[in-house]
Amino acid sequence: IFFLKNNNIFKKCKILFVYPNEREMSTIPPAITLLSQLLKDKGHTTDVFDTTFYKFDDEISIGDVDKGAERSLQNRPVLNVDDDNLHFDKQSTDPAIDLRKKILEFQPDLLAVSCSETTFMRGIRLISETRDLNVKNIFGGVFPTFAPHLVMKYDCVDMLCVGEGENALVDLVHLIGESKDYSNVTNLWVRKKDGSIKKNSITKPVDINKLPPVTDIGIFGEKRFYRPMGGKILKMLPVETHRGCPYTCSFCNSPSQNVLYQNSGKFFRKKSIKLIKDEIESHIKKWNVEYIYFWADTFLAWSNKEFDEFIEMYKDIKLPFWCQTRIETITYDKFKKLKEVGLNRITFGMEHGNEKFRREVVKRNYSNKLAIELMQIPTELDIPFSVNNIIGFPGETRELAFDTIELNRQFKSDDTSCSILVPFHGTEIRKVAEEKGYIDKDSIFTISNTSEDSVLDMPQWPKEDIVKLRNTFAMYVKFPKSRWSEIKKAEDDSKIHKKLSDEFIDTYWSDRDKDVKEAA
């Protein structure tokens, strides 16, 4: 199939996105739906191979990950409902074999692999086992952006994209269609025929307010619209409101994005309220969505004027929604308005409870007194909320981690999440871990080595002890201190742990049966 450009005939291309996802219930990635729409708008054809429902035998299974989350009481349990299999039934076939079938059927001109650090090796496996089909590939996402030298060590990778891919991918596909050299496309690292790698500079960030207002959500299929939230299975879709973040947390890669683009433009950008409205209204009209998942590192990074514009816009929509923000952004007036227009649940990133450690290592500077004061607001307004916490930072001890537990005990959270730190490429904390000798500088963290263990070898706090505290963290937060000696035993005794877990669920999530029946 061909199309006309400047009176010349060019080939329409077929692009197959490969999404080696490891989380069976994660929401649809906005980046792929946007890139697909941009390519379709230029006359190309796209499709996606999504591994969300596959089990990879070479890595820890999704079921094992789920059990780990249940063991640490991070999420409300979702009991089986009538349509559970419809939404989350697993594929029993080999994903590499199915990808081969997809390639033979679709006949793509390019495979576009979108990956994070934890999914990169899955992408490599899929590409390497279909390499004989001779389809060029490009890897993009946060991991290729911050570890391009590691990605290009794999001979099966033809090229990668550093930074945003909207302009680069469109330019690349056009040149492929024209059968022209594409080794000079901005943002790309390209492996040339002689084995050398052409490393191109990055171009300025895209104007997100000139991107398509409605993206190609449908490419993933309606089955992927369903996701658990607060113990219920809901039909929800993501809506991007911000790209990047103005803050400088050491465990996050957003600050590095700001550095990456500091000479070519500002990476942190906000989408216009009109575009947000257009996307939401399209989701409602076309897909009958019942819940909105706002995609933003810090939802309340708006100015007061922008926030008021959002409230004015959303009061006519009033679909329940989830978002996440920082504790410092809480105000009574804003949260009252958010609840009035549909705020259903919210997540706060706190990460650590020791003020000095939080300021110097985590790079979050606010007092515990302020946190306790502000976190009373969602409780007063009866807004369910969860708190994100991390343990296992470089140099952290069990005693410091208990400062995090003590601060969480001052909040009336619905859920209390505790994750073990993974120092990903592109984060400041990664450099700290390397300098202290806790990790190898070329190590790649995948789901198999991060889900059930700490990756840092720290003399002051053994890996196995970090995991034990993660698995009992929520108990220490919610149960009375008179039970702490019993919880300490549960760190080593699985029977005691199971007994306390059942009690925890019955005591603090006692409405789960009602929630599940309502969802069904």
Side-chain angles (χ1 to χ4, degrees), residues 119-214:
T119 63
F120 171 67
M121 292 309 300
R122 290 189 168 187
I124 288 295
R125 180 199 158 186
L126 292 171
I127 292 300
S128 62
E129 293 189 22
T130 55
R131 190 65 171 162
D132 60 299
L133 298 178
N134 297 316
V135 182
K136 289 291 183 182
N137 65 71
I138 180 170
F139 278 66
V142 66
F143 185 59
T145 292
F146 292 113
H149 57 293
L150 291 181
V151 173
M152 295 305 288
K153 281 185 176 180
Y154 290 83
D155 293 338
C156 61
V157 177
D158 293 318
M159 59 195 116
L160 61 80
C161 179
V162 174
E164 295 181 318
E166 286 92 343
N167 294 328
L169 188 60
V170 170
D171 290 346
L172 171 65
V173 170
H174 278 337
L175 290 170
I176 290 175
E178 296 171 13
S179 297
K180 290 184 177 179
D181 175 44
Y182 48 75
S183 62
N184 294 318
V185 173
T186 56
N187 293 50
L188 298 192
W189 284 28
V190 181
R191 193 185 309 277
K192 304 188 80 172
K193 290 182 179 179
D194 62 2
S196 64
I197 297 173
K198 178 71 165 52
K199 304 174 183 179
N200 298 309
S201 61
I202 64 171
T203 188
K204 64 182 181 179
V206 298
D207 184 344
I208 63 173
N209 288 310
K210 291 183 179 179
L211 295 173
V214 179

Side-chain angles (χ1 to χ4, degrees), residues 309-337:
E309 289 176 0
F310 170 81
I311 294 296
E312 186 66 23
M313 175 273 290
Y314 206 81
K315 71 181 184 182
D316 295 327
I317 295 173
K318 279 199 169 181
L319 271 186
F321 67 88
W322 172 91
C323 63
Q324 64 180 357
T325 194
R326 290 169 63 106
I327 290 174
E328 311 98 298
T329 65
I330 301 172
T331 70
Y332 183 89
D333 288 342
K334 286 183 178 179
F335 271 64
K336 185 174 183 294
K337 290 176 181 177

Side-chain angles (χ1 to χ4, degrees), residues 76-79 230-231 502 505-507 509-518:
R76 283 175 172 259
V78 178
L79 303 183
D502 291 343
I505 292 170
D506 288 335
T507 303
W509 291 333
S510 59
D511 60 346
R512 69 193 190 285
D513 294 332
K514 173 179 173 292
D515 284 347
V516 170
K517 289 176 182 177
E518 193 176 307

Side-chain angles (χ1 to χ4, degrees), residues 443-458:
S443 56
I444 298 174
F445 298 128
T446 69
I447 190 172
S448 62
N449 59 25
T450 61
S451 297
E452 287 298 292
D453 204 353
S454 170
V455 298
L456 303 185
D457 288 310
M458 300 190 292

Side-chain angles (χ1 to χ4, degrees), residues 480-515:
K481 281 192 173 183
S482 59
R483 307 288 300 277
W484 276 19
S485 60
E486 189 179 0
I487 298 171
K488 182 66 173 69
K489 294 178 181 177
E491 292 186 33
D492 295 295
D493 191 316
S494 60
K495 290 184 179 179
I496 297 177
H497 188 282
K498 177 64 167 62
K499 171 181 170 292
L500 291 180
S501 292
D502 291 343
E503 181 184 346
F504 183 100
I505 292 170
D506 288 335
T507 303
Y508 301 106
W509 291 333
S510 59
D511 60 346
R512 69 193 190 285
D513 294 332
K514 173 179 173 292
D515 284 347

Side-chain angles (χ1 to χ4, degrees), residues 252-267:
C252 179
N253 58 55
S254 284
S256 295
Q257 297 277 19
N258 294 332
V259 173
L260 181 67
Y261 280 91
Q262 64 184 354
N263 295 323
S264 56
K266 188 176 181 181
F267 185 78

